[in-house]
Amino acid sequence: MAPRDNQELVPLTDGSGRPNDDDELEGQHTQKRSTATCLDDNGSDSKGPTNRTPINDMKTSMLACQQVIGLGTLWRFPYVCLKYGGGTFLIPYMVIMCLVGYPLLIMEIGIGQKLRHNSITIWTTINPQLGGIGMVICLVNIAMFCYYGTIITWGTKYMIDMNKFPELWPPHGQPSIDPKRSQSFWHKTVLNVTSSMDETSEIQTVQAFSLFFTWFSLAIMLTAAWITFKNKYIQALINFSNSMFQSLPFYIQIMTCVIPPFLLIVVYIVESGYGYISFLYITSVELKDLLVFPIWVDAVIQVFCSLGLVHGSWTSFGSSSKRKSNFLLTATVVVSFSFILVFVWTWFIVSTIIPNVLQDIKNCVIGSAYKWDNSKDMPAHIFYSNNYDALIASRKLDDTLMSFDVQECNMENQFKLASNGIGLIFIALGEFTTSFSFEKITGYQTKIVINIPQILILTIGTAWLIRLLSWFVWALAEVKCLKKMSKFCISSVLCTICCVCGLVFTTRTGVYWLSLYNEVFINPCLTVLALCEVLIIVFIYGYKQFLLDIYDMTGHTIGRLSIFIWRHITPMLLILTFSSILTVGILDGFRYEVWTHRSNFLTKMRYPYWAQLIIWAITAICLLLILAFCMVDSRQNLTFKFLESLNKAKKTTCGHIKRSDSGLSGKGIITEIDFDDCHDSENDEELDTSIAQAPVRMYKIEVLDSWKSARGQVYL
């Protein structure tokens, strides 16, 4: 690239190869934009990462994988996947993961690692008018905590109610409980649901106590975490144990933490005898189901929940990691691990319920024998052949069932009856429930009902929720108005607010309110916040600046296809998702599933309009806070507009350009440039055509005649 008219390109280093003195002065100004030459964590000048090892980056990536092992993956994904027929849902999930989830994950970790701010204050760092983004993130986080806290509450109540009725569960060593009985126990005993949302219901005392117990336990655990963090002896012990574990070879760490859980799940799937049939079901695809918008909308929301996006935890994770950490590798490992986890876990859940589903299909078709009357196309003996299960699981008999007007017996409908919505995990794992008698030891008729997989799920979900709460409390502690409050007070107030808000879901219609709350409030807010994050980083912060930050921190560049996806595809998909949610909510209305006591299965009903109106009003108020903060900050800026114009009139050159007195034949070198006050040049695109490639050499522009062509640093 040739220099512009009336300009000379001067290398940033002097003749000896050391940095120029002017470069050191430039690094002291915090308002200037960062470039590929920056100071590392130790304060030394480095052009790109130099002391990075792949093993350390991989350890950081594996540590980040803990954030995807939570209720969003273990509890929510299986029932959403089975809602759309297993393998059919995996296709939009993979597409959205690549086009939306992966770019958002890179943006959240990268912007936090660069600006070193938490998820609430980072947006005002980019632009003071973006304070509403942090406020809405706070509200959405509280909503998500209430949502997941309610699920843990119902799981806790499920464990309590099992021990209230031990006679319903088989003794240890006997056949497992009938899934239909487990479904009835979940809806009738645990939730005690009504037959409609219009019925009035009061707060259930047992559920309210379970909710209080859950949030009281979470508050105690958070308090213990902060005490552990402040106690130097406990912290020293933790650091010593971590150092001992980190001293082990990396492959031993992987074999210790990652492989055993996957190995246990795969062994159970193989031992169940339905591993192959379950695999056929979760890999079978119905292409016609991909043409409807709801499956794509749920795929977007599920990607947010599986990866934990938009909650702010990844931004806080990036701000606490090393400045030169390779977050591109972290994002790639996390996305890959998340997909493998959801696939294996869904395979496990399907293998636990598919035996009963296949038997129900047999009973359904044989009970409808009068419709097909032993036709040659579907003889009765086919249901007792060896390959019947495989034919049904791969949906090869669905067309035959449709032709004989018994489509209610196909695989999709029977799985919908078996999944039972949000209670799928508790119902599917019901076969692991056993009762133990201690009559011989104590002399009394004492029985304890235990379900080890459910205990593990609740333990993992609780630990995951505590991790999210700790990230959020740490972010709140950095806000100016809350800096005087201790983390103990913030944790107590937060848990109290979530407990009070969660009382709505302890009524007999609480499960319906939770579903409406998820579809009308959480889903639109997550989509809008994700869209705002993408637009802010791409257009306000600047995608070119972000690309330079990526090279500065990781030493790697992003391809042109990825840049195109970030700038165009990701925002477009998020806009379509939000438009679809609005279209369904306004024109058609959302529906909820009602469990009927007599038939023992779920039917769909439309939400009452008054209930939808209440939640939509809350959603609108929450999202309008983003615009409100922008307008308030704009009016405050107008007050000082006149004074700022007077100050600018006194400036002899734009951008406070200072010329050095080094006496270089009248050629002054720029030592300070305020890029925000300089107008864009007409030839900007020529300078930025190769911005996606790594800079080979860095130059500084010397201004001779006109300041309008000064652009700071040019990359060749």
Side-chain angles (χ1 to χ4, degrees), residues 158-391:
Y158 187 88
M159 303 296 293
I160 296 174
D161 290 340
M162 281 195 309
N163 288 274
K164 283 185 178 180
F165 306 96
E167 66 277 1
L168 298 178
W169 311 97
H172 179 65
Q174 295 188 7
S176 59
I177 188 176
D178 183 8
K180 291 186 177 179
R181 187 192 298 179
S182 181
Q183 295 172 13
S184 177
F185 180 79
W186 167 258
H187 291 99
K188 188 176 180 179
T189 305
V190 178
L191 299 181
N192 192 21
V193 296
T194 59
S195 58
S196 174
M197 194 174 180
D198 292 321
E199 298 182 16
T200 57
S201 61
E202 298 179 353
I203 296 177
Q204 302 181 81
T205 306
V206 179
Q207 283 203 23
F209 175 78
S210 299
L211 181 69
F212 172 77
F213 174 77
T214 299
W215 283 107
F216 181 76
S217 302
L218 290 172
I220 294 298
M221 294 177 188
L222 277 176
T223 302
W226 301 128
I227 293 176
T228 301
F229 181 76
K230 286 191 173 182
N231 191 297
K232 60 180 181 179
Y233 299 105
I234 300 178
Q235 197 66 28
L237 181 62
I238 294 175
N239 293 335
F240 175 75
S241 60
N242 289 337
S243 62
M244 292 294 293
F245 182 76
Q246 294 295 333
S247 62
L248 297 175
F250 181 67
Y251 68 91
I252 295 181
Q253 298 180 20
I254 295 295
M255 294 177 62
T256 305
C257 300
V258 180
I259 295 180
F262 283 99
L263 187 61
L264 288 176
I265 293 176
V266 173
V267 167
Y268 171 81
I269 294 174
V270 174
E271 289 292 331
S272 66
Y274 291 92
Y276 174 69
I277 298 172
S278 303
F279 182 81
L280 288 178
Y281 176 73
I282 61 176
T283 55
S284 60
V285 178
E286 290 289 336
L287 296 179
K288 59 182 178 62
D289 294 338
L290 297 176
L291 302 178
V292 294
F293 274 107
I295 189 173
W296 294 93
V297 173
D298 281 342
V300 173
I301 303 302
Q302 183 57 48
V303 166
F304 293 158
C305 296
S306 296
L307 295 179
L309 297 171
V310 193
H311 302 159
S313 59
W314 287 112
T315 306
S316 300
F317 175 84
S319 64
S320 62
S321 60
K322 294 181 180 180
R323 189 178 293 273
K324 296 295 183 180
S325 178
N326 189 355
F327 60 89
L328 295 179
L329 177 63
T330 300
T332 305
V333 172
V334 168
V335 168
S336 303
F337 176 80
S338 175
F339 184 77
I340 295 174
L341 177 63
V342 297
F343 182 82
V344 175
W345 179 249
T346 306
W347 189 11
F348 167 73
I349 295 298
V350 170
S351 65
T352 59
I353 64 177
I354 201 170
N356 300 286
V357 171
L358 295 174
Q359 186 61 43
D360 291 340
I361 294 175
K362 289 181 182 180
N363 298 335
C364 180
V365 176
I366 293 176
S368 306
Y370 66 92
K371 293 185 178 181
W372 47 274
D373 194 19
N374 290 327
S375 172
K376 294 181 180 180
D377 296 331
M378 194 169 62
H381 66 79
I382 192 175
F383 300 104
Y384 304 98
S385 61
N386 295 328
N387 61 344
Y388 156 74
D389 292 343
L391 292 175

Side-chain angles (χ1 to χ4, degrees), residues 554-624:
T554 67
H556 299 281
T557 57
I558 302 298
R560 296 184 183 274
L561 179 60
S562 300
I563 298 173
F564 178 79
I565 292 175
W566 290 4
R567 296 185 61 191
H568 304 287
I569 304 298
T570 303
M572 182 185 67
L573 290 177
L574 293 174
I575 292 174
L576 289 177
T577 302
F578 183 68
S579 303
S580 300
I581 295 174
L582 290 181
T583 303
V584 173
I586 296 175
L587 299 181
D588 189 21
F590 294 100
R591 289 175 171 81
Y592 64 101
E593 295 178 334
V594 179
W595 181 78
T596 56
H597 295 263
R598 295 182 179 179
S599 56
N600 194 23
F601 67 88
L602 298 175
T603 58
K604 284 192 174 183
M605 297 179 61
R606 191 188 301 272
Y607 283 108
Y609 286 104
W610 60 269
Q612 295 190 52
L613 184 60
I614 292 175
I615 306 299
W616 274 118
I618 298 174
T619 304
I621 294 173
C622 181
L623 295 180
L624 287 175

Side-chain angles (χ1 to χ4, degrees), residues 287-584:
L287 296 179
K288 59 182 178 62
D289 294 338
L290 297 176
L291 302 178
V292 294
F293 274 107
I295 189 173
W296 294 93
V297 173
D298 281 342
V300 173
I301 303 302
Q302 183 57 48
V303 166
F304 293 158
C305 296
S306 296
L307 295 179
L309 297 171
V310 193
H311 302 159
S313 59
W314 287 112
T315 306
S316 300
F317 175 84
S319 64
S320 62
S321 60
K322 294 181 180 180
R323 189 178 293 273
K324 296 295 183 180
S325 178
N326 189 355
F327 60 89
L328 295 179
L329 177 63
T330 300
T332 305
V333 172
V334 168
V335 168
S336 303
F337 176 80
S338 175
F339 184 77
I340 295 174
L341 177 63
V342 297
F343 182 82
V344 175
W345 179 249
T346 306
W347 189 11
F348 167 73
I349 295 298
V350 170
S351 65
T352 59
I353 64 177
I354 201 170
N356 300 286
V357 171
L358 295 174
Q359 186 61 43
D360 291 340
I361 294 175
K362 289 181 182 180
N363 298 335
C364 180
V365 176
I366 293 176
S368 306
Y370 66 92
K371 293 185 178 181
W372 47 274
D373 194 19
N374 290 327
S375 172
K376 294 181 180 180
D377 296 331
M378 194 169 62
H381 66 79
I382 192 175
F383 300 104
Y384 304 98
S385 61
N386 295 328
N387 61 344
Y388 156 74
D389 292 343
L391 292 175
I392 288 293
S394 60
R395 301 183 180 182
K396 293 182 179 180
L397 293 181
D398 283 358
D399 295 336
T400 305
L401 297 176
M402 292 284 290
S403 64
F404 287 96
D405 195 23
V406 287
Q407 59 269 18
E408 69 274 4
C409 301
N410 63 10
M411 194 73 172
E412 182 178 356
N413 290 330
Q414 292 301 318
F415 251 106
K416 286 182 179 179
L417 297 178
S419 62
N420 279 276
I422 62 177
L424 171 63
I425 292 297
F426 304 101
I427 296 172
L429 299 179
E431 67 168 282
F432 297 98
T433 303
T434 56
S435 62
F436 295 88
S437 178
F438 296 91
E439 184 176 358
K440 295 182 180 180
I441 300 176
T442 60
Y444 300 96
Q445 292 184 355
T446 304
K447 284 187 176 182
I448 297 179
V449 181
I450 297 177
N451 190 315
I452 296 178
Q454 290 182 4
I455 294 175
L456 291 176
I457 294 299
L458 291 177
T459 303
I460 294 173
T462 303
W464 174 76
L465 186 58
I466 290 176
R467 191 181 301 113
L468 291 182
L469 286 168
S470 61
W471 283 117
F472 185 60
V473 171
W474 175 74
L476 288 176
E478 298 295 325
V479 180
K480 290 184 179 179
C481 59
L482 300 177
K483 280 187 175 181
K484 295 183 179 180
M485 294 182 62
S486 64
K487 291 183 176 66
F488 302 99
C489 296
I490 296 176
S491 302
S492 301
V493 173
L494 178 62
C495 293
T496 303
I497 293 174
C498 293
C499 183
V500 173
C501 295
L503 290 175
V504 180
F505 309 124
T506 60
T507 61
R508 295 187 62 190
T509 58
V511 62
Y512 308 139
W513 281 106
L514 186 73
S515 178
L516 179 63
Y517 173 75
N518 175 52
E519 292 180 345
V520 179
F521 179 77
I522 293 180
N523 293 356
C525 289
L526 288 178
T527 307
V528 172
L529 284 176
L531 179 61
C532 291
E533 288 184 3
V534 174
L535 296 179
I536 289 170
I537 294 177
V538 171
F539 296 103
I540 298 179
Y541 184 79
Y543 78 95
K544 297 178 182 178
Q545 179 64 38
F546 189 64
L547 292 176
L548 294 178
D549 295 341
I550 290 177
Y551 177 77
D552 172 40
M553 292 182 288
T554 67
H556 299 281
T557 57
I558 302 298
R560 296 184 183 274
L561 179 60
S562 300
I563 298 173
F564 178 79
I565 292 175
W566 290 4
R567 296 185 61 191
H568 304 287
I569 304 298
T570 303
M572 182 185 67
L573 290 177
L574 293 174
I575 292 174
L576 289 177
T577 302
F578 183 68
S579 303
S580 300
I581 295 174
L582 290 181
T583 303
V584 173

